[in-house]
Each structure stands twice: as structure tokens, then as C-alpha cells.
PDB file of all heavy atoms in Angstrom:
ATOM      1  N   ALA A 119       0.007   9.815  -8.590  1.00 95.00           N
ATOM      2  CA  ALA A 119       1.350  10.398  -8.617  1.00 95.00           C
ATOM      3  C   ALA A 119       2.111   9.885  -9.829  1.00 95.00           C
ATOM      4  O   ALA A 119       2.010   8.701 -10.185  1.00 95.00           O
ATOM      5  CB  ALA A 119       2.108  10.047  -7.346  1.00 95.00           C
ATOM      6  N   GLY A 120       2.875  10.765 -10.431  1.00 93.00           N
ATOM      7  CA  GLY A 120       3.691  10.371 -11.570  1.00 93.00           C
ATOM      8  C   GLY A 120       4.963  11.198 -11.593  1.00 93.00           C
ATOM      9  O   GLY A 120       5.102  12.179 -10.869  1.00 93.00           O
ATOM     10  N   GLY A 121       5.900  10.811 -12.428  1.00 88.00           N
ATOM     11  CA  GLY A 121       7.130  11.589 -12.509  1.00 88.00           C
ATOM     12  C   GLY A 121       8.150  10.967 -13.434  1.00 88.00           C
ATOM     13  O   GLY A 121       7.916   9.900 -14.000  1.00 88.00           O
ATOM     14  N   PRO A 122       9.303  11.612 -13.578  1.00 88.00           N
ATOM     15  CA  PRO A 122       9.650  12.878 -12.929  1.00 88.00           C
ATOM     16  C   PRO A 122       9.042  14.088 -13.628  1.00 88.00           C
ATOM     17  O   PRO A 122       8.628  13.995 -14.774  1.00 88.00           O
ATOM     18  CB  PRO A 122      11.168  12.906 -13.039  1.00 88.00           C
ATOM     19  CG  PRO A 122      11.441  12.172 -14.318  1.00 88.00           C
ATOM     20  CD  PRO A 122      10.397  11.084 -14.393  1.00 88.00           C
ATOM     21  N   TYR A 123       8.976  15.189 -12.883  1.00 89.00           N
ATOM     22  CA  TYR A 123       8.493  16.448 -13.428  1.00 89.00           C
ATOM     23  C   TYR A 123       9.676  17.373 -13.657  1.00 89.00           C
ATOM     24  O   TYR A 123      10.536  17.517 -12.791  1.00 89.00           O
ATOM     25  CB  TYR A 123       7.509  17.115 -12.465  1.00 89.00           C
ATOM     26  CG  TYR A 123       7.156  18.529 -12.867  1.00 89.00           C
ATOM     27  CD1 TYR A 123       6.278  18.769 -13.926  1.00 89.00           C
ATOM     28  CD2 TYR A 123       7.720  19.619 -12.219  1.00 89.00           C
ATOM     29  CE1 TYR A 123       5.964  20.056 -14.315  1.00 89.00           C
ATOM     30  CE2 TYR A 123       7.411  20.902 -12.606  1.00 89.00           C
ATOM     31  CZ  TYR A 123       6.540  21.121 -13.661  1.00 89.00           C
ATOM     32  OH  TYR A 123       6.236  22.393 -14.043  1.00 89.00           O
ATOM     33  N   TRP A 124       9.682  17.992 -14.831  1.00 86.00           N
ATOM     34  CA  TRP A 124      10.736  18.944 -15.166  1.00 86.00           C
ATOM     35  C   TRP A 124      10.150  20.344 -15.171  1.00 86.00           C
ATOM     36  O   TRP A 124       9.184  20.609 -15.880  1.00 86.00           O
ATOM     37  CB  TRP A 124      11.351  18.612 -16.515  1.00 86.00           C
ATOM     38  CG  TRP A 124      11.868  17.197 -16.560  1.00 86.00           C
ATOM     39  CD1 TRP A 124      11.298  16.140 -17.181  1.00 86.00           C
ATOM     40  CD2 TRP A 124      13.052  16.699 -15.921  1.00 86.00           C
ATOM     41  NE1 TRP A 124      12.033  15.007 -16.963  1.00 86.00           N
ATOM     42  CE2 TRP A 124      13.113  15.301 -16.212  1.00 86.00           C
ATOM     43  CE3 TRP A 124      14.048  17.279 -15.128  1.00 86.00           C
ATOM     44  CZ2 TRP A 124      14.142  14.500 -15.745  1.00 86.00           C
ATOM     45  CZ3 TRP A 124      15.074  16.471 -14.665  1.00 86.00           C
ATOM     46  CH2 TRP A 124      15.120  15.103 -14.972  1.00 86.00           C
ATOM     47  N   SER A 125      10.727  21.232 -14.392  1.00 84.00           N
ATOM     48  CA  SER A 125      10.230  22.588 -14.256  1.00 84.00           C
ATOM     49  C   SER A 125      10.072  23.257 -15.618  1.00 84.00           C
ATOM     50  O   SER A 125      10.945  23.148 -16.480  1.00 84.00           O
ATOM     51  CB  SER A 125      11.189  23.401 -13.390  1.00 84.00           C
ATOM     52  OG  SER A 125      10.683  24.707 -13.192  1.00 84.00           O
ATOM     53  N   GLY A 126       8.959  23.909 -15.817  1.00 82.00           N
ATOM     54  CA  GLY A 126       8.697  24.596 -17.075  1.00 82.00           C
ATOM     55  C   GLY A 126       7.893  23.783 -18.062  1.00 82.00           C
ATOM     56  O   GLY A 126       7.434  24.328 -19.073  1.00 82.00           O
ATOM     57  N   THR A 127       7.703  22.506 -17.783  1.00 85.00           N
ATOM     58  CA  THR A 127       6.903  21.677 -18.693  1.00 85.00           C
ATOM     59  C   THR A 127       5.437  21.710 -18.278  1.00 85.00           C
ATOM     60  O   THR A 127       5.106  22.045 -17.144  1.00 85.00           O
ATOM     61  CB  THR A 127       7.400  20.226 -18.713  1.00 85.00           C
ATOM     62  OG1 THR A 127       7.302  19.681 -17.387  1.00 85.00           O
ATOM     63  CG2 THR A 127       8.853  20.163 -19.156  1.00 85.00           C
ATOM     64  N   VAL A 128       4.563  21.340 -19.205  1.00 86.00           N
ATOM     65  CA  VAL A 128       3.131  21.332 -18.940  1.00 86.00           C
ATOM     66  C   VAL A 128       2.772  20.022 -18.245  1.00 86.00           C
ATOM     67  O   VAL A 128       3.154  18.947 -18.690  1.00 86.00           O
ATOM     68  CB  VAL A 128       2.335  21.470 -20.247  1.00 86.00           C
ATOM     69  CG1 VAL A 128       0.841  21.372 -19.967  1.00 86.00           C
ATOM     70  CG2 VAL A 128       2.672  22.794 -20.922  1.00 86.00           C
ATOM     71  N   LEU A 129       2.057  20.124 -17.147  1.00 91.00           N
ATOM     72  CA  LEU A 129       1.638  18.923 -16.427  1.00 91.00           C
ATOM     73  C   LEU A 129       0.709  18.083 -17.291  1.00 91.00           C
ATOM     74  O   LEU A 129      -0.184  18.614 -17.959  1.00 91.00           O
ATOM     75  CB  LEU A 129       0.940  19.316 -15.130  1.00 91.00           C
ATOM     76  CG  LEU A 129       1.864  19.910 -14.059  1.00 91.00           C
ATOM     77  CD1 LEU A 129       1.070  20.705 -13.051  1.00 91.00           C
ATOM     78  CD2 LEU A 129       2.660  18.814 -13.386  1.00 91.00           C
ATOM     79  N   THR A 130       0.918  16.783 -17.234  1.00 90.00           N
ATOM     80  CA  THR A 130       0.135  15.895 -18.073  1.00 90.00           C
ATOM     81  C   THR A 130      -1.260  15.658 -17.521  1.00 90.00           C
ATOM     82  O   THR A 130      -1.461  15.642 -16.302  1.00 90.00           O
ATOM     83  CB  THR A 130       0.844  14.539 -18.244  1.00 90.00           C
ATOM     84  OG1 THR A 130       0.060  13.697 -19.082  1.00 90.00           O
ATOM     85  CG2 THR A 130       1.042  13.843 -16.894  1.00 90.00           C
ATOM     86  N   LEU A 131      -2.220  15.467 -18.409  1.00 91.00           N
ATOM     87  CA  LEU A 131      -3.570  15.130 -17.975  1.00 91.00           C
ATOM     88  C   LEU A 131      -3.940  13.686 -18.330  1.00 91.00           C
ATOM     89  O   LEU A 131      -5.080  13.272 -18.126  1.00 91.00           O
ATOM     90  CB  LEU A 131      -4.585  16.097 -18.558  1.00 91.00           C
ATOM     91  CG  LEU A 131      -4.539  16.424 -20.060  1.00 91.00           C
ATOM     92  CD1 LEU A 131      -5.018  15.262 -20.903  1.00 91.00           C
ATOM     93  CD2 LEU A 131      -5.382  17.649 -20.344  1.00 91.00           C
ATOM     94  N   SER A 132      -2.963  12.948 -18.861  1.00 93.00           N
ATOM     95  CA  SER A 132      -3.225  11.563 -19.234  1.00 93.00           C
ATOM     96  C   SER A 132      -3.060  10.636 -18.044  1.00 93.00           C
ATOM     97  O   SER A 132      -1.985  10.602 -17.424  1.00 93.00           O
ATOM     98  CB  SER A 132      -2.267  11.121 -20.339  1.00 93.00           C
ATOM     99  OG  SER A 132      -2.354   9.718 -20.516  1.00 93.00           O
ATOM    100  N   PRO A 133      -4.073   9.839 -17.712  1.00 93.00           N
ATOM    101  CA  PRO A 133      -3.939   8.906 -16.590  1.00 93.00           C
ATOM    102  C   PRO A 133      -2.835   7.878 -16.827  1.00 93.00           C
ATOM    103  O   PRO A 133      -2.303   7.322 -15.856  1.00 93.00           O
ATOM    104  CB  PRO A 133      -5.319   8.243 -16.497  1.00 93.00           C
ATOM    105  CG  PRO A 133      -5.933   8.441 -17.829  1.00 93.00           C
ATOM    106  CD  PRO A 133      -5.406   9.743 -18.342  1.00 93.00           C
ATOM    107  N   HIS A 134      -2.458   7.649 -18.075  1.00 94.00           N
ATOM    108  CA  HIS A 134      -1.427   6.658 -18.373  1.00 94.00           C
ATOM    109  C   HIS A 134      -0.041   7.112 -17.940  1.00 94.00           C
ATOM    110  O   HIS A 134       0.884   6.305 -17.888  1.00 94.00           O
ATOM    111  CB  HIS A 134      -1.438   6.352 -19.871  1.00 94.00           C
ATOM    112  CG  HIS A 134      -2.756   5.862 -20.359  1.00 94.00           C
ATOM    113  ND1 HIS A 134      -3.285   4.638 -19.991  1.00 94.00           N
ATOM    114  CD2 HIS A 134      -3.682   6.437 -21.165  1.00 94.00           C
ATOM    115  CE1 HIS A 134      -4.459   4.479 -20.560  1.00 94.00           C
ATOM    116  NE2 HIS A 134      -4.731   5.550 -21.277  1.00 94.00           N
ATOM    117  N   GLU A 135       0.103   8.395 -17.644  1.00 93.00           N
ATOM    118  CA  GLU A 135       1.404   8.913 -17.232  1.00 93.00           C
ATOM    119  C   GLU A 135       1.500   9.106 -15.720  1.00 93.00           C
ATOM    120  O   GLU A 135       2.377   9.812 -15.241  1.00 93.00           O
ATOM    121  CB  GLU A 135       1.686  10.211 -17.980  1.00 93.00           C
ATOM    122  CG  GLU A 135       1.783   9.993 -19.484  1.00 93.00           C
ATOM    123  CD  GLU A 135       2.275  11.217 -20.238  1.00 93.00           C
ATOM    124  OE1 GLU A 135       3.259  11.824 -19.792  1.00 93.00           O
ATOM    125  OE2 GLU A 135       1.646  11.574 -21.251  1.00 93.00           O
ATOM    126  N   TYR A 136       0.586   8.481 -14.999  1.00 96.00           N
ATOM    127  CA  TYR A 136       0.637   8.472 -13.551  1.00 96.00           C
ATOM    128  C   TYR A 136       0.903   7.032 -13.105  1.00 96.00           C
ATOM    129  O   TYR A 136       0.260   6.100 -13.584  1.00 96.00           O
ATOM    130  CB  TYR A 136      -0.669   8.996 -12.948  1.00 96.00           C
ATOM    131  CG  TYR A 136      -0.835  10.485 -13.135  1.00 96.00           C
ATOM    132  CD1 TYR A 136      -1.243  11.005 -14.351  1.00 96.00           C
ATOM    133  CD2 TYR A 136      -0.563  11.367 -12.093  1.00 96.00           C
ATOM    134  CE1 TYR A 136      -1.368  12.372 -14.531  1.00 96.00           C
ATOM    135  CE2 TYR A 136      -0.699  12.729 -12.269  1.00 96.00           C
ATOM    136  CZ  TYR A 136      -1.097  13.231 -13.493  1.00 96.00           C
ATOM    137  OH  TYR A 136      -1.224  14.588 -13.667  1.00 96.00           O
ATOM    138  N   ASP A 137       1.860   6.868 -12.197  1.00 94.00           N
ATOM    139  CA  ASP A 137       2.329   5.535 -11.829  1.00 94.00           C
ATOM    140  C   ASP A 137       1.628   4.948 -10.607  1.00 94.00           C
ATOM    141  O   ASP A 137       1.565   3.728 -10.458  1.00 94.00           O
ATOM    142  CB  ASP A 137       3.835   5.581 -11.539  1.00 94.00           C
ATOM    143  CG  ASP A 137       4.626   6.142 -12.712  1.00 94.00           C
ATOM    144  OD1 ASP A 137       4.410   5.655 -13.835  1.00 94.00           O
ATOM    145  OD2 ASP A 137       5.426   7.065 -12.506  1.00 94.00           O
ATOM    146  N   TYR A 138       1.180   5.812  -9.729  1.00 95.00           N
ATOM    147  CA  TYR A 138       0.606   5.348  -8.462  1.00 95.00           C
ATOM    148  C   TYR A 138      -0.783   5.963  -8.276  1.00 95.00           C
ATOM    149  O   TYR A 138      -0.998   7.127  -8.627  1.00 95.00           O
ATOM    150  CB  TYR A 138       1.505   5.749  -7.281  1.00 95.00           C
ATOM    151  CG  TYR A 138       2.929   5.283  -7.435  1.00 95.00           C
ATOM    152  CD1 TYR A 138       3.928   6.164  -7.823  1.00 95.00           C
ATOM    153  CD2 TYR A 138       3.265   3.957  -7.202  1.00 95.00           C
ATOM    154  CE1 TYR A 138       5.238   5.747  -7.972  1.00 95.00           C
ATOM    155  CE2 TYR A 138       4.576   3.522  -7.346  1.00 95.00           C
ATOM    156  CZ  TYR A 138       5.549   4.415  -7.739  1.00 95.00           C
ATOM    157  OH  TYR A 138       6.840   3.984  -7.885  1.00 95.00           O
ATOM    158  N   TRP A 139      -1.673   5.152  -7.701  1.00 97.00           N
ATOM    159  CA  TRP A 139      -3.063   5.581  -7.532  1.00 97.00           C
ATOM    160  C   TRP A 139      -3.562   5.249  -6.135  1.00 97.00           C
ATOM    161  O   TRP A 139      -3.180   4.223  -5.539  1.00 97.00           O
ATOM    162  CB  TRP A 139      -3.958   4.871  -8.555  1.00 97.00           C
ATOM    163  CG  TRP A 139      -3.691   5.299  -9.951  1.00 97.00           C
ATOM    164  CD1 TRP A 139      -2.717   4.844 -10.790  1.00 97.00           C
ATOM    165  CD2 TRP A 139      -4.401   6.318 -10.670  1.00 97.00           C
ATOM    166  NE1 TRP A 139      -2.773   5.507 -12.000  1.00 97.00           N
ATOM    167  CE2 TRP A 139      -3.797   6.419 -11.953  1.00 97.00           C
ATOM    168  CE3 TRP A 139      -5.484   7.151 -10.373  1.00 97.00           C
ATOM    169  CZ2 TRP A 139      -4.255   7.322 -12.918  1.00 97.00           C
ATOM    170  CZ3 TRP A 139      -5.926   8.045 -11.333  1.00 97.00           C
ATOM    171  CH2 TRP A 139      -5.311   8.117 -12.587  1.00 97.00           C
ATOM    172  N   GLY A 140      -4.435   6.117  -5.632  1.00 97.00           N
ATOM    173  CA  GLY A 140      -5.121   5.826  -4.393  1.00 97.00           C
ATOM    174  C   GLY A 140      -6.351   4.985  -4.647  1.00 97.00           C
ATOM    175  O   GLY A 140      -6.663   4.630  -5.785  1.00 97.00           O
ATOM    176  N   GLN A 141      -7.063   4.689  -3.575  1.00 97.00           N
ATOM    177  CA  GLN A 141      -8.226   3.797  -3.670  1.00 97.00           C
ATOM    178  C   GLN A 141      -9.502   4.547  -4.062  1.00 97.00           C
ATOM    179  O   GLN A 141     -10.492   3.921  -4.433  1.00 97.00           O
ATOM    180  CB  GLN A 141      -8.438   3.070  -2.339  1.00 97.00           C
ATOM    181  CG  GLN A 141      -9.186   3.856  -1.275  1.00 97.00           C
ATOM    182  CD  GLN A 141      -8.372   4.985  -0.669  1.00 97.00           C
ATOM    183  OE1 GLN A 141      -7.171   5.117  -0.901  1.00 97.00           O
ATOM    184  NE2 GLN A 141      -9.025   5.816   0.143  1.00 97.00           N
ATOM    185  N   GLY A 142      -9.481   5.863  -3.980  1.00 97.00           N
ATOM    186  CA  GLY A 142     -10.631   6.661  -4.374  1.00 97.00           C
ATOM    187  C   GLY A 142     -11.519   7.045  -3.206  1.00 97.00           C
ATOM    188  O   GLY A 142     -11.581   6.343  -2.195  1.00 97.00           O
ATOM    189  N   THR A 143     -12.198   8.173  -3.355  1.00 98.00           N
ATOM    190  CA  THR A 143     -13.163   8.631  -2.363  1.00 98.00           C
ATOM    191  C   THR A 143     -14.395   9.163  -3.097  1.00 98.00           C
ATOM    192  O   THR A 143     -14.270   9.875  -4.090  1.00 98.00           O
ATOM    193  CB  THR A 143     -12.546   9.695  -1.437  1.00 98.00           C
ATOM    194  OG1 THR A 143     -13.472  10.039  -0.401  1.00 98.00           O
ATOM    195  CG2 THR A 143     -12.160  10.966  -2.195  1.00 98.00           C
ATOM    196  N   GLN A 144     -15.566   8.787  -2.610  1.00 98.00           N
ATOM    197  CA  GLN A 144     -16.810   9.141  -3.280  1.00 98.00           C
ATOM    198  C   GLN A 144     -17.225  10.570  -2.948  1.00 98.00           C
ATOM    199  O   GLN A 144     -17.246  10.972  -1.776  1.00 98.00           O
ATOM    200  CB  GLN A 144     -17.927   8.182  -2.860  1.00 98.00           C
ATOM    201  CG  GLN A 144     -19.288   8.506  -3.439  1.00 98.00           C
ATOM    202  CD  GLN A 144     -19.381   8.234  -4.921  1.00 98.00           C
ATOM    203  OE1 GLN A 144     -18.958   7.179  -5.399  1.00 98.00           O
ATOM    204  NE2 GLN A 144     -19.937   9.181  -5.680  1.00 98.00           N
ATOM    205  N   VAL A 145     -17.578  11.312  -3.984  1.00 98.00           N
ATOM    206  CA  VAL A 145     -18.161  12.638  -3.828  1.00 98.00           C
ATOM    207  C   VAL A 145     -19.530  12.611  -4.503  1.00 98.00           C
ATOM    208  O   VAL A 145     -19.632  12.264  -5.683  1.00 98.00           O
ATOM    209  CB  VAL A 145     -17.273  13.722  -4.474  1.00 98.00           C
ATOM    210  CG1 VAL A 145     -18.003  15.059  -4.501  1.00 98.00           C
ATOM    211  CG2 VAL A 145     -15.958  13.842  -3.719  1.00 98.00           C
ATOM    212  N   THR A 146     -20.549  12.956  -3.747  1.00 98.00           N
ATOM    213  CA  THR A 146     -21.906  12.979  -4.274  1.00 98.00           C
ATOM    214  C   THR A 146     -22.495  14.359  -4.045  1.00 98.00           C
ATOM    215  O   THR A 146     -22.521  14.842  -2.914  1.00 98.00           O
ATOM    216  CB  THR A 146     -22.787  11.917  -3.600  1.00 98.00           C
ATOM    217  OG1 THR A 146     -22.188  10.626  -3.774  1.00 98.00           O
ATOM    218  CG2 THR A 146     -24.181  11.907  -4.206  1.00 98.00           C
TER     219      THR A 146
END
């Protein structure tokens, strides 16, 4: 999760612009 988001802007794909992270889930 990251923010704030401003309507009309392009969502970021950089992990550095996300503030909170989950623990992860494995997909095989």
C-alpha cells in the first residue's frame, strides 16, 4: 500500500513508492 493517490495520475510501479507490505504468499 502506498499513497496518497491523486485521481487522474498514473499508478506507480516502483516498490520504493509503497509504504506498507504484507508477508507474502507463495504461488507455484
